[in-house]
Amino acid sequence: MGGWVWMVIPAVVIFGGAVGENVRGALRTRHERKLELAKAAERKQLALEAANRPPEPVCGCTHHLAKHDKAGRCHEVVEAPTAWDAERKPLQYEARQCNCQQYIGPEPLGTVFAQELTDLG
């Protein structure tokens, strides 16, 4: 009965490390997949939230609709470069009115009230 134990011990020592590595590798792969799935679910949730938000009324000049008058001209003050170095990088800035000529962003919709349809018949 004791003879087979001496054959099992070397097999466990030799092959036990390989089995352990396989198990650790499988667990690592599973963990990485779980992390990827969690990140994908988070990206999906952020995309759904962004899809449900109405568009921001921001013009191509990056200013809000509130900064434009009825004609669409922008009244925001911006920093414009006035001096450049030899590599054409701005060195000095000056406050100027935004030169946007017309608001081109999304038009906000007014509030709409609609009564429920009722069956009169």
Side-chain angles (χ1 to χ4, degrees):
M1 178 163 144
W4 64 272
V5 173
W6 293 109
M7 292 171 47
V8 170
I9 291 175
V12 168
V13 169
I14 292 172
F15 298 113
V19 171
E21 282 296 317
N22 285 342
V23 170
R24 278 190 294 276
L27 289 175
R28 186 178 314 114
T29 302
R30 182 174 184 268
H31 177 70
E32 290 169 356
R33 279 193 300 234
K34 289 277 194 181
L35 288 177
E36 288 173 10
L37 287 173
K39 288 178 184 176
E42 183 180 350
R43 285 192 304 268
K44 179 181 177 183
Q45 183 63 32
L46 291 174
L48 285 174
E49 289 172 4
N52 289 332
R53 277 195 306 263
E56 285 289 319
V58 177
C59 185
C61 66
T62 69
H63 297 126
H64 197 274
L65 173 62
K67 302 293 183 179
H68 293 75
D69 61 14
K70 296 276 187 200
R73 187 161 176 80
C74 185
H75 292 281
E76 185 68 12
V77 176
V78 296
E79 288 188 349
T82 56
W84 292 266
D85 64 4
E87 297 173 358
R88 300 184 61 120
K89 293 181 183 176
L91 293 174
Q92 191 174 3
Y93 294 90
E94 180 179 284
R96 293 185 182 169
Q97 184 177 349
C98 180
N99 61 358
C100 174
Q101 299 295 315
Q102 182 179 2
Y103 175 76
I104 58 170
E107 292 294 327
L109 298 175
T111 304
V112 177
F113 173 75
Q115 289 183 332
E116 288 188 35
L117 296 176
T118 57
D119 188 17
L120 299 175

